[in-house]
Amino acid sequence: MIDFRSDTVTKPTQAMRVAMGAAQVGDDVYGDDPSINYLEDMAAEMFEFDGALFTPSGTQANLLALMAHCERGDEYLCGQQAHNYKFEGGGAAILGSIQPQPLNNQADGSILLADIEAAIKPDDIHFARTRLLSLENTISGKVVPQTYLAQAQELAFNKGLKIHLDGARVANAAVAQNLPMTAITQYFDSVSICLSKGLCAPVGALLLADKRLLSKARRWRKVLGGGMRQAGILAAAAQLALTEQVERLAEDHDNAGYLASQLSTFSEFEVDMSLVQTNMVFASVTAELDINAVANALKQKGILISASKTLRLVTHADISRSDIDSFIRALKVVLQR
Ligand SMILES: *Cc1c(COP(=O)(O)O)cnc(C)c1O
């Protein structure tokens, strides 16, 4: 199958499978797993944070950050489009008793500083306590401008807020700008990173923060059922995600550009080229086209897309240039060109 639905579908590389087979393991809840300890130390050094915590998913890494920064009755500011507001089942509210305060995302993915400032609640018993600003980079495949990150950090600092990055795809943001990941993560008190998307690990994410925040997060991870015992098998693959897969993302970005240019030759799809900044292509589908029928016909030909009036196609390690050519050929057949 050629699968454009997400970069989460990437399979572990052969090197990862070998490393997993050879991984030394122990009980991580006791702190005894050498592969996890190595991964967490390596990530802390790489990203220049005090420490790191290995988690089963990016969703959990975000939730742990929110629960560690905020107490019951606190709130976090985030984008309307933020994954940790819109796509994580309301976990912060449900499990953390933390109120989200969503704010409009601008076209570039940022949130207006004026909107952030206006949303910070005064110290008054009518209001939740505003504790945290949460940003996302990349957001919907878009790279948030570096100057904005610096300004947001300054605002958060001046207003006494902590600042979190949902950096599920921060590696894509860094590679797209030809910057080290630390150039982005330096602006944040905590960062979550997904290892099982474009970086190809089978499972896992990291939360980076200072020691005090991580000890709270480690406690909540256990409470949430995220204490994983001999998970060094996963950490062994995760190490390679960070050391061997980051630079490769440039190929995914090139392929997304190629896919976007090919797709834009069809009158049925309107591709906004300004949104093609990393590994995602968005295309609006003309009203007449039955996209569900197209998706079903493509599936018969071994190609998977998520049917939607706004198509999102994602490139990743398991999609080559020739897979994109196969997709375009199949699309021509399906659309009877
Ligand atoms: C995928 C994603 C997450 C959550 O990661 P999972 O590992 O799927 O739980 C969080 N934030 C963003 C921006 C994501 O794309």
Side-chain angles (χ1 to χ4, degrees), residues 162-314:
K162 296 293 180 183
I163 182 166
H164 171 72
L165 177 67
D166 179 347
R169 296 191 181 84
V170 70
N172 295 85
V175 167
Q177 299 175 95
N178 211 3
L179 289 173
M181 291 189 280
T182 49
I184 298 170
T185 57
Q186 63 171 331
Y187 296 115
F188 296 90
D189 297 305
S190 58
V191 177
S192 59
I193 297 173
C194 281
L195 305 170
S196 67
K197 291 185 171 168
L199 299 181
C200 297
V203 176
L206 287 165
L207 176 64
L208 300 154
D210 65 26
K211 285 263 154 37
R212 191 193 59 85
L213 200 85
L214 286 175
S215 72
K216 284 182 164 181
R218 195 175 285 280
R219 169 172 275 274
W220 285 126
R221 186 184 68 170
K222 187 72 181 78
V223 172
L224 293 170
M228 292 192 291
R229 312 297 177 186
Q230 287 78 32
I233 286 184
L234 302 175
Q239 281 170 36
L240 295 177
L242 288 176
T243 55
E244 294 190 356
Q245 294 297 317
V246 173
E247 276 142 49
R248 196 206 53 74
L249 295 173
E251 290 169 28
D252 300 346
H253 300 174
D254 286 347
N255 283 339
Y258 178 65
L259 172 60
S261 67
Q262 294 294 308
L263 195 62
S264 65
T265 63
F266 292 83
S267 58
E268 290 87 348
F269 301 103
E270 195 178 334
V271 181
D272 185 343
M273 291 306 259
S274 73
L275 301 182
V276 189
Q277 298 178 19
T278 56
N279 66 335
M280 291 185 191
V281 176
F282 292 88
S284 50
V285 177
T286 51
E288 306 79 61
L289 188 69
D290 181 350
I291 191 65
N292 286 303
V294 170
N296 286 333
L298 287 170
K299 194 172 177 183
Q300 304 303 314
K301 298 178 176 298
I303 295 164
L304 295 177
I305 63 168
S306 302
S308 165
K309 273 293 163 194
T310 305
L311 272 191
R312 186 191 79 160
L313 302 173
V314 186

Side-chain angles (χ1 to χ4, degrees), residues 43-240:
E45 197 175 307
M46 203 169 160
F47 289 93
E48 298 168 8
F49 274 83
D50 265 8
L53 185 66
F54 187 55
T55 66
S57 67
T59 298
Q60 190 177 94
N62 275 333
L63 180 58
L64 295 177
L66 294 170
M67 291 176 73
H69 282 295
C70 302
E71 305 282 329
R72 180 182 192 202
D74 290 350
E75 77 169 2
Y76 66 107
L77 311 178
C78 61
Q80 283 283 358
Q81 302 307 320
H83 200 281
N84 62 15
Y85 168 60
K86 200 173 171 185
F87 299 102
E88 294 180 9
I94 295 166
L95 302 166
S97 301
I98 303 160
Q99 166 172 286
Q101 170 63 72
L103 302 168
N104 280 337
N105 286 106
Q106 301 301 305
D108 66 0
S110 68
I111 303 166
L112 290 180
L113 298 175
D115 287 352
I116 293 170
E117 207 167 337
I120 299 171
K121 315 283 187 290
D123 183 6
D124 176 315
I125 56 168
H126 292 87
F127 302 125
R129 292 170 299 250
T130 312
R131 285 279 186 241
L132 178 71
L133 171 62
S134 178
L135 301 178
E136 191 172 312
N137 196 13
T138 62
I139 178 163
S140 305
K142 289 176 292 195
V143 177
V144 180
Q146 286 289 107
T147 49
Y148 173 77
L149 298 183
Q151 291 165 346
Q153 182 200 35
E154 192 184 354
L155 176 63
F157 182 81
N158 289 337
K159 297 292 175 182
L161 304 182
K162 296 293 180 183
I163 182 166
H164 171 72
L165 177 67
D166 179 347
R169 296 191 181 84
V170 70
N172 295 85
V175 167
Q177 299 175 95
N178 211 3
L179 289 173
M181 291 189 280
T182 49
I184 298 170
T185 57
Q186 63 171 331
Y187 296 115
F188 296 90
D189 297 305
S190 58
V191 177
S192 59
I193 297 173
C194 281
L195 305 170
S196 67
K197 291 185 171 168
L199 299 181
C200 297
V203 176
L206 287 165
L207 176 64
L208 300 154
D210 65 26
K211 285 263 154 37
R212 191 193 59 85
L213 200 85
L214 286 175
S215 72
K216 284 182 164 181
R218 195 175 285 280
R219 169 172 275 274
W220 285 126
R221 186 184 68 170
K222 187 72 181 78
V223 172
L224 293 170
M228 292 192 291
R229 312 297 177 186
Q230 287 78 32
I233 286 184
L234 302 175
Q239 281 170 36
L240 295 177

